[in-house]
Amino acid sequence: MDTEAQSTERDRSPHPAGPENTSGGPGREGRSRSALAGRLVGRIPGGRATAALLLVLLLLTVLVTLVARPFQIPSGSMEPALRAGDRVLVLKLAYRFGAGPQRGDVVVFDGSGYFGDADYIKRVVGVGGDRVVCCDKDGRIRVNGRTVDESGFLFPGESASTVPFDVVVPGQRLFVLGDHRGSSSDSRDRLGSPGGGMIPVSRVIGRADWIVSPFGRATRLHRPDAYARMPAPVPSARADAAHQGEGTRG
């Protein structure tokens, strides 16, 4: 008898049919979850449409809380780059995982106790350790001994400042100005007040990266090249900044 042939025939015989999942495994669990979600959606007025809207609102809340938030420009102090009524998208994570604000950045900050009980938007002109002077013989600002060419963003026809100043920015502080200097209340106006008009870095909410409305003005905000070429603070300025920073701690 050919036992090998018989074995082959037996192997080819169909297996008895039976339930594929009798143990309550993944198939049943998937169906149970789907049924539970369906019951929950069914209890919400409006059904799936309302559930989808609630999910979108939840995602937007997380986005605004952790990542970015819109900010409406309240005045013309940042013209011509930003006009009153423009809405900008402020990236809240811009300074959370690396370097802090840089010269030329447009930042939104909480001005409570420094500028007033509101949020403000200004351009960073000096960071901790910088010596900021206005004005040189040509009427321009100097940072760490080098002239800043502000012609690319300063309001047309305006000078860098009608208020002279010579300051060293304390550590972890920012010297901020509006681009429309004749219509901006900024660090220049508070040089004699507590903190000297310098904003703590901890008060910065985020960096304004995009104009998002009106739609016709939507664009990205770039850091001017003029600030990218600024030299680092000189050692004596760093020492003065550290000393001033210690004096402002309470």
Side-chain angles (χ1 to χ4, degrees), residues 56 110 143 149 159 172 184 236:
V56 169
D110 176 8
V143 177
D149 180 8
S159 62
Q172 294 300 305
S184 176
S236 59

Side-chain angles (χ1 to χ4, degrees), residues 38 42 60 75 122 138 140 174 178 198 210-211 216 218 223 231 237 247:
L60 286 175
S75 70
K122 303 293 178 186
D138 296 317
R140 296 181 295 183
L174 304 172
M198 317 292 182
W210 290 86
I211 300 175
R223 182 184 305 116

Side-chain angles (χ1 to χ4, degrees), residues 184-197:
S184 176
S185 178
D186 45 44
S187 291
R188 299 169 299 165
D189 302 313
R190 296 165 176 80
L191 296 176
S193 63

